[in-house]
Amino acid sequence: MPFSTMPVFGLNRGGLPRRLGVLRLVAIVATIATLAQWFVPVGARFIFNGGRIYYSNEPSRLSESLLPWPVLSVPPWLTITTGLIAIGCASAYLLLGGLEIADDIAYMTLVPLLAGYVTIFIAAFEKDPTGVIWTPGADGYPIGWHWIVAPFTIVLIASGIIASVRMRRLRAERRRRRAERHVAQG
């Protein structure tokens, strides 16, 4: 069985009701947007800042910094917004779906979960004097508020567990009904 049987992009009109298709699509797009907030600055900083990605990193001796550090800072409000949208829509999808999402539960739990936890790495990009969490080590520094999304992943994990238990119950009920119909026909 593949990780997900549904196409990543699209409303999946053949297999999902419209509201579930919209929730799934919004969750995937918000997840990609959140992940891009880490990948794009890492790539840009690696190229334009001589390999210095995080505040605590030293510039590479192999290449000079082409632009002043930091290139591409990610504002906390952007990460918090996209992360919470990804987690909220994925949770709603898992809680509202029936048997049609049975093969999609793992995918729609794990992928947005990744977007929730990558916010910790986004928060560590630069010093934030208002930050309450510090990076480890003697040269630790306070990180940004992007991380505030990570605790909300508990809601997503609970939604995934609830959906899995509900699917097991719905499948057992469907098998029982089929067996009753088979006995009634034969």
Side-chain angles (χ1 to χ4, degrees):
M1 177 172 94
F3 198 49
S4 178
T5 57
M6 295 183 195
V8 176
F9 297 107
L11 295 176
N12 296 298
R13 289 186 178 128
L16 292 175
R18 183 169 177 80
R19 75 171 194 261
L20 290 178
V22 169
L23 284 171
R24 186 179 192 280
L25 181 61
V26 170
I28 299 255
V29 169
T31 297
I32 291 170
T34 305
L35 293 173
Q37 292 172 45
W38 185 77
F39 284 110
V40 173
V42 164
R45 289 176 179 197
F46 186 78
I47 293 167
F48 296 116
N49 289 145
R52 183 178 182 194
I53 296 169
Y54 289 99
Y55 178 78
S56 58
N57 295 138
E58 294 292 326
S60 172
R61 296 176 196 259
L62 299 175
S63 64
E64 294 288 320
S65 183
L66 301 174
L67 296 172
W69 192 86
V71 171
L72 288 181
S73 294
V74 179
W77 64 267
L78 181 63
T79 305
I80 293 168
T81 302
T82 58
L84 290 179
I85 288 172
I87 290 170
C89 288
S91 295
Y93 173 81
L94 293 169
L95 294 174
L96 295 174
L99 281 172
E100 65 272 359
I101 69 161
D103 294 335
D104 206 29
I105 293 173
Y107 181 78
M108 287 305 292
T109 302
L110 295 176
V111 173
L113 195 64
L114 179 63
Y117 291 131
V118 79
T119 60
I120 296 167
F121 298 105
I122 297 169
F125 273 146
E126 298 155 31
K127 279 186 178 182
D128 184 352
T130 66
V132 294
I133 295 180
W134 289 63
T135 58
D139 60 341
Y141 56 92
I143 64 174
W145 289 92
H146 310 74
W147 64 268
I148 204 77
V149 175
F152 287 95
T153 58
I154 294 170
V155 173
L156 182 60
I157 293 168
S159 299
I161 292 169
I162 290 168
S164 294
V165 169
R166 191 176 69 236
M167 287 312 127
R168 193 173 306 132
R169 203 170 336 127
L170 289 172
R171 284 179 173 165
E173 179 66 23
R174 185 173 62 180
R175 281 192 299 271
R176 186 185 61 76
R177 285 185 196 156
R178 283 183 185 164
E180 286 175 358
R181 273 188 269 142
H182 185 0
V183 169
Q185 290 176 353

